[in-house]
Each structure stands twice: as structure tokens, then as C-alpha cells.
Amino acid sequence: MISIETLVCKDEEECQRKRERWEHLQNRFCAIGQRELDMFRARMGDGKHKILCDKHFYKRSFERSISEADFKEVLKCGWVVERNKTAKATSIMLLGYVGRNYRPLHIVIDMVSENLWVAVTAYNPQSHAWKWNEGFDKRVCFCNPDD
Ligand SMILES: [Zn+2]
């Protein structure tokens, strides 16, 4: 059981500070990520540029009722809302709205190399709604960076 205390922001002042920093950085990095996404999309048909899904992605998608059609929809029509550098790779997070009810969907993709991208996770941000603004394109809470 998850207690209700874990489902809200625990330090609004601190998260406000982090939010301002996040917006400042992401204004710049999202634009870069969007260019990378546009370029990748344009090249995806050439047979050399591929997006794979890792094991974790399949498992999570299944648990969260995210279909392959949803995934493809976001890949085709979504846009970059976050770009991050980790030790492993540079990743982008896409936001798209899928299905009849326009369910929001976040997909995180590691840009492993110029021609290989790997989708690592997908989730409906409504499941952590307090972490996002109304449009689910800006983080407002940073209490648990693992999610
Ligand atoms: Zn918070």
C-alpha cells in the first residue's frame, strides 16, 4: 500500500526553486531535443535509423495498458517536453495525447546513437498528476526524481 502522503509534493518551496531552474534549462534543451526528433523522424524510413523498445518498456507498457498504437501515435505526433543527459545516454521525453479520450502519454527515449534510439519507459502522467502542470508538459514537483 502506498500512503497518501507520498502522493503529494513534500516541499513546495524547494520544488518551486527547482521548477524555475528546470524551466530555464529545458527552454534551451527541449528545442535541441525537438530538432533531434524532427531529424530522426525524417530519416526513420531509410532502414538505418531505428527505435527499439527495451524489456523494461514492454513490461511497463503492458502493466499500464499502453498499446503499440499509442506508442506509434506519440512517436509520430508527440513533441519533446524534456531532454536530459545521464551517464548512460542523452534522453528525450515525448508528450502526446492518444486514443478517443486524448489520454496524455509520456515516452522516454534514450538517444543511444545517431541512428539507434531506445524507448525505455512510457506512462500516463495523470498517474502522478501532482508532478506536472495541467498540460503535462512542465514539471512542477521534483520530490522523487526516480519517476
Ligand atoms: Zn515536490
Side-chain angles (χ1 to χ4, degrees):
M1 275 286 277
I2 301 165
S3 70
I4 194 75
E5 284 83 358
T6 65
L7 298 176
V8 293
C9 181
K10 292 181 200 74
D11 189 344
E12 284 182 21
E13 223 170 278
E14 178 63 12
C15 284
Q16 178 60 33
R17 262 196 297 277
K18 287 181 177 168
R19 178 184 181 173
E20 281 162 20
R21 184 173 158 71
W22 183 92
E23 282 195 32
H24 177 74
L25 289 172
Q26 291 304 333
N27 274 345
R28 188 149 49 100
F29 289 123
C30 279
I32 297 170
Q34 187 64 49
R35 271 201 303 278
E36 289 163 329
L37 176 65
D38 291 342
M39 209 170 320
F40 200 89
R41 275 175 175 155
R43 291 170 177 170
M44 262 172 74
D46 72 1
K48 285 181 221 149
H49 291 74
K50 277 184 199 149
I51 296 192
L52 303 178
C53 300
D54 78 359
K55 253 190 283 176
H56 174 84
F57 184 91
Y58 280 120
K59 189 170 172 282
R60 288 285 180 269
S61 306
F62 180 72
E63 287 166 3
R64 295 167 181 170
S65 316
I66 295 160
S67 70
E68 199 179 333
D70 296 338
F71 174 67
K72 284 184 174 163
E73 177 75 15
V74 175
L75 213 54
K76 202 175 121 203
C77 305
W79 59 98
V80 176
V81 295
E82 194 172 62
R83 182 182 187 274
N84 288 305
K85 246 184 187 145
T86 65
K88 205 172 61 172
T90 301
S91 67
I92 51 172
M93 183 160 75
L94 272 56
L95 165 66
Y97 291 90
V98 298
R100 267 180 309 162
N101 300 319
Y102 298 102
R103 190 162 58 114
L105 191 60
H106 280 169
I107 294 178
V108 179
I109 298 172
D110 279 352
M111 299 185 287
V112 178
S113 70
E114 199 209 292
N115 51 18
L116 175 66
W117 286 11
V118 177
V120 291
T121 198
Y123 61 90
N124 179 341
Q126 284 169 327
S127 63
H128 303 83
W130 77 97
K131 290 191 173 186
W132 301 93
N133 67 350
E134 253 175 72
F136 302 105
D137 61 350
K138 285 191 165 77
R139 283 189 197 271
V140 297
C141 175
F142 297 80
C143 289
N144 187 353
D146 297 338
D147 291 331

